[in-house]
Amino acid sequence: MFSKGNLAVICWLWRSMRKLFLLLSLLLSHAAHLEGKKDNQFIWKPGPWGRCTGDCGPGGVQSRALWCFHLEGWTGHLSNCDESNRPPKERSCFRVCDWHSDLFQWEVSDWHHCVLVPSNLGQARPRTAECVTAQHGLQHRAVRCIQKLNRTVVVNEICEHFAPQPPTEQACLIPCPRDCVVSEFSQWSECSRGCQRQLQHRIRAAISPPLYGGSQCPNLTESRACDTPMSCPLGEEEYTFSLKVGPWSKCRLPHLKEISLSGRTVLDFSSDSKERVTFRHQSYKPHHHPKPWDLEIGYQTRQVWCTRSDGRNAVLSLCMQDSFPLTVQSCIMPKDCETTEWSSWSPCSKTCRSESLSPGFRSRSRKVKHVAIGGGKECPELLEKEACIVEELLQPCHRYSWRTSEWKECQVSLLLEQQDPRWHVTGPVCGGGIQTRDVYCAQSIPASTIQKAKEVSRPVKKTLCLGPAPSASQLCNIPCSTDCIVSSWSDWGLCIHENCRDPQGRKGFRMRRRHVLMESTGSAGHCPHLVESIPCEDPMCYRWLVSEGICIPDHGKCGLGHRVLKAICQNDQGEDVSGSLCPASPPPERMACEIPCRMDCVLSEWTEWSSCSQSCSNKNSDGKQTRSRTILALAGEGGKPCPPSQALQEYRSCNDHSCMQLYWETLPWGPCSEDTLVTALNATIGWNGEATCGVGIQTRRVFCVKSHVGQVMTKRCPDSTRPETVRPCLLPCKKDCIVTAFSEWTPCPRSCQPGNATVKQSRYRIIIQEAANGGQECPDTLFEERECEDISLCPMYRWKPQKWSPCILVPESVRQGIMGSSEPCGKGVQTRVVSCISDDNQSAEVMECLKQTNGMPPLVQECAVPCRDDCTFTFWSRFTPCSANCETSRSRRRQLTGKSRKKEKCQDSDLYPLIETELCPCDVFISQPYGNWSDCILPEGRREPQRGFRIQGDGKECGKGVRFRAIACSDKNGRPVDPSHCSSSGYIQEECVIPCPFDCKLSDWSSWGSCSSSCGIGVRIRSKWLKEKPYNGGRPCPRLDLKNQVHEAVPCYSECNQYSWVVEHWSPCKIHNELRSLRCGGGTQSRKIRCMNAADGEGGAVDNSLCNQDEIPPETQSCSLLCPSECVMSEWGPWSKCPQSCDPHSMQRRTRHLLRPPLNSRTCAEDSQVRPCLLNENCFQFQYNLTEWSTCQLSENATCGQGVRTRLLSCVRSDGKPVGVDQCEQRNLEKPQKVSIHCLVECVVNCQLSGWTAWTECSKTCGHGGRMSRTRFIIMPTQGEGRPCPTELTQQKTCPVTPCYSWVLGNWSTCKLEGGDCGEGFQIRSLSCVVHNGSVSDLAISVDDALCGEMPFQDSILKQPCSVPCPGDCHLTEWSEWSTCELTCINGRSFETMGRQSRSRTFIVQSFENQDSCPQQVLETRPCTGGKCYHYTWKASLWNNNERTVWCQRSDGINVTGGCSPQARPAAIRQCNPACRKPFSYCTQGGVCGCEKGYIEIMRSNGFLDYCMKVPGSDDKKADAKNLAGKNRPVNSKIHDIFKGWSLQALDPDGRVKIWVYGVSGGGFLIMIFLVFTSYLLCKKPKPHQSTPPQQKPLTLAYDGDLDM
């Protein structure tokens, strides 16, 4: 155990050790870290880039993880890695969004050529012999993702977001390898007579090149030695000798030692010396430091030797001629094109990081200091471009987006004018229209500067905005105002006080009301008044309503009695109220009555008062009501008699008030104006959710109107129904005009401008928001223009050539050393200085003139210094003047000078003409129309920039125009000239007409017909009919019926009680009994009925057809007058109500009571009846009925846009009978909600087109075939039944035919050897200026060189080396003709669109000794069009001695070598197997052994020849039949060749007859019987023109029964 002290020491030691251990571990790790960093043991390893997040486009961000790895594979802390090499953790990226699909697309190239699939490792390529028709290959194509706008390439990931990458390779077929195809050999060349050894040759040409790995062409030449009868004796061979000239050496300067200062000439042809002498003209002073670009004149030499016809060289004296070839001549030392140093690189075209992922470009240039001379190296490229990397430090490019102004007002008139050009404003318009807005491109605003939107949203070029621009126009709708729809008037109410709560005075009002069925819409919608009133006397707000009970006798069963009266107090609304409110005391509770006794007269109860005959009282009549009662039973003796007939009816007056009604009339609400009293109620959000600027008030005028009179005093109308005159409203906010800042000034041109035209720059701004509600108005100036300053005019540059120097010859010392001649004459060169000058004669750089001209005037030309023996002439004189006549000619002359006049050779006018003649220029021109007529082009009016929208009617689209046809103008010699010589415009013009489109024309709508139903729901119809059909692309008609009409039907509803039957009281009962004594019994009674309109205040009758004919009341009915002794019962009371469910178990009851008891004890009839409630018999259910929605109904002023679809509500009884809506309302049925909804009638929009663009430049600068075009665009496509867009959106016309002037190279001359017979020389060709109409052909005519401008200065195109073979030389032939165009085909079908044709050159060997020096044969191939498919087949001749000729033939009949399959080649030699070794045997054409003539074959059982046996009497036919020679008589060789593959053998090898012989014999026998029978039938009834049947050739079988065969 440890003591406490020891334990404390131990703990302290442990804590100290732990701290020390931690310190050591930290030191070690730090040391390791330093060691690792020192040895670079740690490297950065980034993870893959994550998804692109953030904004669409280039504003996205990608991130990735970073690790610090030790080389041994474990990760360490990030601080271990070098921070300076840390890879970026984030980078900007292009985030692809769905709308980018309009900006990017895949671009694929055409498929490349099909190439053979490379063979797998270890697998041999299939041999050509195994190819049947074709072999498998692969073809590739380039696929890249591009930006549509500028065709720049971007990364593929963008396009892969929308569509998978198209395949970049596909399988294809390559035809089998095809060998080179060559023609047949020509005939052998002829051998010349003589004894020397000669060669003859024959050649062939290549027809088709080797394709797809086929064999190369065979030798195109064959040579063989001529058959000479004998060899020449030694030394007497006949040879010819030719002077052969070698090629000219390179031009060089003479060395110093070649020019002997002491007069002696030393020749030195070595080229080691570096010292050169520059010869200037004739002085030849040495200049060791020539000026830059001095033309140096040197000399060049060539060798001359004599060659023998067998190719060997001979002594030069054997070839000497009169004139020895020139072996030295002057020349220009070649100098390469000299250019300046490269300029410094231009700045990178990409100065910022943009959304385009393509790199920028930079360029540098150099200028030409001096052009190439004397065959020196031509000028290199003068401009160099390269891509430049965009540094990540660059600022992001400005981003641009489409902006729009607010929509302008909706213009209905645009559409109405389209439909009717004669339309003019007659009132408020509404419905569908077009509204426009300005669309512009502006720099996108960062969120941080959003407050400064007004300053930075200046418009920029529209090309800077990507993606489709927003629409600049759209259809819109101005809501149409509709008036209220109101119900019919109610009945007049009772006379009441104006205010029942405070009744005053004795005057009141009677009122009637109507209610709104459908509210008005729009600002101009109007509602009529809903209350009318009439003043009346003694108003009462509360009245007693009394109901009577039945009469109860006071004593006994009849006599006097009383009725119980029940009184209820009601207000003016018909509601029960307390009786204390009724002003008068309540009526008595009882009322006296009388019950008739047995013999008394019995009367019925009084009927209800009839309806009032008039709704108001006028001067002529008052309203009346009637009621009546009838006699039910006559009185008996002693009974109470019946009253007179007058007492059976009662009358009273009604509706005695005036017909002049009073009502309140209102004017429309005024504008919303500020009110200081309601400023405390200012709001920011209006009732409809729009921002507002406080609450104001609206007022309107209200006045009292008397019908048929007009405005009256206000107090005449009841104040309680006065409409309000003030209401609160929301004040609209003031809107200031908002315009963009001015755009940047359009740039002035940086480069110089030709001529003195003024160049202007402009800027503009756009109204974004129009001023409204008293806001600040828009500025007047939206477009500004000014002239560009400091525009420099482009200087014009031209070449200025100096005079030619004197002719410079070879230095005299060189000439004497080489030629031994000292006369300074012959060919030389002369030079001149050509400088570039400006218009003001200031010198300029060569480059300036090269930019403005085609070439440079020549600096060097050949010249000649005449020798003593040469002919010399004066200069040509001027041409003689021309007269006015076009047929005349002009001439010029020259003369011989000096001693030349006496020389005979100079007198030869063919070699040295002294006069030249040419036709005079003629000013007679011939015009000829060219090309087709242009489209009909309408005259263009003045174009004025207009704001707003351009519709098709703004510009002229039809009518009279002009069409053009170009003319080709030429002079009398047929040379094209400028068309202005023939016509000022270069066109023939002709009037033309574009027919105007005529729209379908319909009549106006007819008025609505009456409702088809007088009660409930019906249909109202209106119609239009066709007036004129459309043509010339006019707006089509809607769908018409058979009568060429279009109908519109809407549901209608007639109040079922609007027209009702009104009946008068029944007349007294007229008894039928003829006995006058009896006045009781059965009879009839009648009444008058009429149809009345409840809405008609006058109460006049209307036509009976307007009332429901099913409910017409009877005009007569049977009746009875009861006799005095009979029982009298009252009329039946109403049936009790059935339950709404019409339960058949429920009963309904009606009752009646006894009015007079019978005289005797007979019982009376029943006093009650019961019946079940049966559906649709005595019990009915009711339901609401809705019609279908109507068509979309528009306002009268609208043609399209927003309308209303309605449906009507009616009430229908369960038996289908329509009843009044009140029947459904009484039963509290659920009423449908919507009876009208908004709808949209599609606007008929004609196609909207932009104006024509300006005419494009001519597609050709001169000549035929040039075209100009202009286009227009569809701004808004056709909608609905609008006028369709025209198909012609592009117009074209032919350009005037201006002459083309071109430099044309002539044909190469023959090879000029300059004095030699063979060897190396030069060919030259001329460069001439020709005029043509666009294509240089044989019709091109030479004109003055000045019309073509400067001649291109290239010696190489005018002069080329050539050679003429010497006798004995091996040389190439001329090119063969181009072969016919051939396509590559498989099984007769074309494999490609372009064919190919070939030509070849081969060598000719003239001496076997020189055949090693022969050049290679040459094959040329070029593509061609219009090729054909050819196939190649083997052909063979007939066998001859078991041999035949086999050759390949093309399908057009040409025999060729190559093309046919070697595997299918037929055999050319035939051999018997086994060989024919028997005596007298030989190999026959059939390839079997046979016997000679006079011998027969004895065959073995296996079919082979055993031996030949001589036939006794070989002239015998029988023996001849067995002899093979006899069997093989001469026959048609072609037929034999056809059937040589098969033959008929009647015998088996063992000599037996084959079975088929018997079959053939039997068949032949049957055929003969059939022929005999047929002949009989034909002969029985002969027919005209009967042809004789051909004779049948009998089949002879040679068989003599010899079984040994």
Side-chain angles (χ1 to χ4, degrees), residues 224-297:
R224 68 182 183 187
C226 288
D227 295 332
T228 50
M230 58 181 179
S231 58
C232 293
L234 189 63
E236 295 185 11
E237 296 90 349
E238 297 179 4
Y239 293 113
T240 57
F241 298 92
S242 303
L243 191 63
K244 185 175 182 178
V245 291
W248 286 103
S249 67
K250 288 183 178 180
C251 192
R252 60 173 178 172
L253 295 172
H255 294 82
L256 285 172
K257 56 186 176 182
E258 289 178 11
I259 302 174
S260 175
L261 299 177
S262 61
R264 297 188 330 189
T265 301
V266 180
L267 288 179
D268 181 9
F269 287 100
S270 68
S271 57
D272 300 339
S273 172
K274 302 296 180 186
E275 295 179 283
R276 291 186 175 183
V277 177
T278 301
F279 294 102
R280 296 178 180 275
H281 308 300
Q282 298 288 353
S283 60
Y284 296 105
K285 293 179 181 177
H287 290 270
H288 298 285
H289 303 288
K291 291 182 183 177
W293 213 252
D294 283 337
L295 293 178
E296 296 181 314
I297 298 177

Side-chain angles (χ1 to χ4, degrees), residues 1331-1382:
V1331 63
H1332 55 89
N1333 276 327
S1335 59
V1336 181
S1337 62
D1338 297 336
L1339 302 176
I1341 304 171
S1342 296
V1343 290
D1344 189 5
D1345 287 354
L1347 293 172
C1348 287
E1350 295 295 341
M1351 188 181 297
F1353 186 67
Q1354 289 180 344
D1355 284 338
S1356 57
I1357 64 170
L1358 300 179
K1359 192 174 184 181
Q1360 70 176 8
C1362 60
S1363 63
V1364 175
C1366 296
D1369 284 352
C1370 185
H1371 63 276
L1372 284 174
T1373 61
E1374 295 296 322
W1375 285 105
S1376 64
E1377 295 293 328
W1378 285 105
S1379 63
T1380 55
C1381 193
E1382 183 176 2

Side-chain angles (χ1 to χ4, degrees), residues 1139-1284:
Q1140 229 169 333
S1141 60
C1142 291
D1143 184 5
H1145 300 293
S1146 303
M1147 296 291 179
Q1148 68 176 163
R1149 179 187 299 274
R1150 68 175 178 174
T1151 59
R1152 60 182 176 177
H1153 56 274
L1154 180 67
L1155 292 179
R1156 188 183 72 176
L1159 190 61
N1160 49 24
S1161 60
R1162 283 187 299 178
T1163 58
C1164 293
E1166 60 183 353
D1167 61 352
S1168 69
Q1169 286 181 344
V1170 174
R1171 67 181 180 185
C1173 291
L1174 298 177
L1175 184 64
N1176 294 339
E1177 286 189 13
N1178 60 345
C1179 180
F1180 298 95
Q1181 293 177 345
F1182 299 87
Q1183 64 179 8
Y1184 282 112
N1185 178 43
L1186 278 174
T1187 63
E1188 295 294 327
W1189 290 108
S1190 70
T1191 54
C1192 199
Q1193 299 298 305
L1194 297 168
S1195 164
E1196 291 297 325
N1197 296 327
T1199 57
C1200 65
Q1202 196 168 6
V1204 177
R1205 296 177 66 191
T1206 57
R1207 56 182 179 178
L1208 293 178
L1209 188 66
S1210 66
C1211 190
V1212 178
R1213 209 164 68 176
S1214 53
D1215 61 349
K1217 181 182 177 184
V1219 293
V1221 182
D1222 56 334
Q1223 296 282 355
C1224 289
E1225 289 174 349
Q1226 289 169 8
R1227 288 164 176 77
N1228 295 322
L1229 299 178
E1230 185 181 354
K1231 187 181 286 189
Q1233 294 295 319
K1234 285 191 175 180
V1235 292
S1236 67
I1237 55 171
H1238 289 295
C1239 57
L1240 201 65
V1241 174
E1242 185 181 26
C1243 286
V1244 173
V1245 181
N1246 292 344
C1247 180
Q1248 312 277 334
L1249 297 174
S1250 68
W1252 289 105
T1253 61
W1255 287 102
T1256 60
E1257 294 290 329
C1258 190
S1259 60
K1260 294 191 175 179
T1261 53
C1262 63
H1264 287 158
R1267 300 192 74 79
M1268 296 187 290
S1269 64
R1270 63 176 186 172
T1271 54
R1272 54 184 173 179
F1273 309 98
I1274 296 174
I1275 295 176
M1276 183 180 285
T1278 306
Q1279 297 203 26
E1281 295 171 349
R1283 189 176 294 170

Side-chain angles (χ1 to χ4, degrees), residues 191-206:
C191 291
S192 59
R193 295 178 182 177
C195 59
Q196 65 267 26
R197 189 182 178 195
Q198 298 177 14
L199 293 177
Q200 60 179 163
H201 62 269
R202 60 177 183 175
I203 59 174
R204 54 186 173 181

Side-chain angles (χ1 to χ4, degrees), residues 1530-1557:
V1531 295
N1532 189 324
S1533 62
K1534 289 185 179 179
I1535 296 175
H1536 174 76
D1537 202 34
I1538 292 172
F1539 291 100
K1540 67 177 184 265
W1542 57 279
S1543 59
L1544 294 178
Q1545 294 185 359
L1547 301 178
D1548 284 330
D1550 58 359
R1552 296 179 181 178
V1553 178
K1554 293 184 177 179
I1555 295 175
W1556 65 265
V1557 177

Side-chain angles (χ1 to χ4, degrees), residues 902-1198:
K902 299 178 181 179
K903 292 178 183 174
E904 185 177 349
K905 68 174 183 177
C906 297
Q907 305 296 328
D908 189 348
S909 60
D910 292 333
L911 287 177
Y912 306 108
L914 298 178
I915 186 168
E916 278 186 354
T917 305
E918 67 178 15
L919 288 173
C920 286
C922 184
D923 289 337
V924 175
F925 302 103
I926 304 162
S927 67
Q928 190 173 358
Y930 167 74
N932 298 322
W933 286 101
S934 72
D935 301 314
C936 195
I937 296 165
L938 297 172
E940 294 186 26
R942 281 187 64 227
R943 291 193 177 183
E944 295 180 0
Q946 54 177 1
R947 291 179 57 212
F949 194 62
R950 181 192 181 279
I951 64 167
Q952 196 178 18
D954 290 347
K956 197 177 177 188
E957 298 295 335
C958 60
K960 284 189 177 180
V962 178
R963 61 179 187 162
F964 300 89
R965 192 177 185 188
I967 58 170
C969 189
S970 58
D971 62 12
K972 193 173 182 184
N973 299 324
R975 292 182 296 193
V977 295
D978 194 89
S980 59
H981 291 296
C982 295
S983 165
S984 58
S985 64
Y987 290 106
I988 310 171
Q989 297 186 15
E990 181 179 271
E991 278 195 357
C992 56
V993 174
I994 295 179
C996 291
F998 195 86
D999 298 335
C1000 173
K1001 278 203 172 178
L1002 299 177
S1003 67
D1004 293 331
W1005 284 111
S1006 65
S1007 56
W1008 285 105
S1010 58
C1011 197
S1012 62
S1013 172
S1014 59
C1015 171
I1017 290 177
V1019 174
R1020 284 195 306 162
I1021 294 177
R1022 66 174 182 173
S1023 59
K1024 289 182 179 183
W1025 56 91
L1026 178 66
K1027 292 177 76 175
E1028 291 183 69
K1029 291 184 178 180
Y1031 53 87
N1032 293 334
R1035 191 169 61 248
C1037 290
R1039 197 168 182 181
L1040 304 174
D1041 63 6
L1042 295 176
K1043 295 182 180 179
N1044 281 337
Q1045 290 183 342
V1046 59
H1047 299 279
E1048 236 185 23
V1050 293
C1052 56
Y1053 177 76
S1054 299
E1055 295 277 355
C1056 286
N1057 55 4
Q1058 181 179 2
Y1059 297 102
S1060 56
W1061 293 107
V1062 176
V1063 294
E1064 293 184 2
H1065 300 294
W1066 287 108
S1067 64
C1069 194
K1070 187 177 182 180
I1071 304 303
H1072 292 156
N1073 196 341
E1074 295 178 358
L1075 297 175
R1076 293 180 179 269
S1077 58
L1078 289 176
R1079 293 181 291 120
C1080 60
T1084 58
Q1085 60 184 160
S1086 63
R1087 62 180 174 181
K1088 288 183 179 178
I1089 63 171
R1090 65 182 186 272
C1091 183
M1092 296 281 290
N1093 183 0
D1096 185 7
E1098 300 294 329
V1102 295
D1103 188 68
N1104 283 355
S1105 62
L1106 294 175
C1107 286
N1108 190 350
Q1109 300 299 312
D1110 296 334
E1111 296 179 352
I1112 185 168
E1115 291 187 84
T1116 60
Q1117 69 175 5
S1118 59
C1119 60
S1120 64
L1121 272 177
L1122 297 174
C1123 293
S1125 61
E1126 291 178 316
C1127 176
V1128 180
M1129 300 293 290
S1130 68
E1131 295 289 333
W1132 284 107
W1135 288 100
S1136 64
K1137 287 186 178 180
C1138 282
Q1140 229 169 333
S1141 60
C1142 291
D1143 184 5
H1145 300 293
S1146 303
M1147 296 291 179
Q1148 68 176 163
R1149 179 187 299 274
R1150 68 175 178 174
T1151 59
R1152 60 182 176 177
H1153 56 274
L1154 180 67
L1155 292 179
R1156 188 183 72 176
L1159 190 61
N1160 49 24
S1161 60
R1162 283 187 299 178
T1163 58
C1164 293
E1166 60 183 353
D1167 61 352
S1168 69
Q1169 286 181 344
V1170 174
R1171 67 181 180 185
C1173 291
L1174 298 177
L1175 184 64
N1176 294 339
E1177 286 189 13
N1178 60 345
C1179 180
F1180 298 95
Q1181 293 177 345
F1182 299 87
Q1183 64 179 8
Y1184 282 112
N1185 178 43
L1186 278 174
T1187 63
E1188 295 294 327
W1189 290 108
S1190 70
T1191 54
C1192 199
Q1193 299 298 305
L1194 297 168
S1195 164
E1196 291 297 325
N1197 296 327

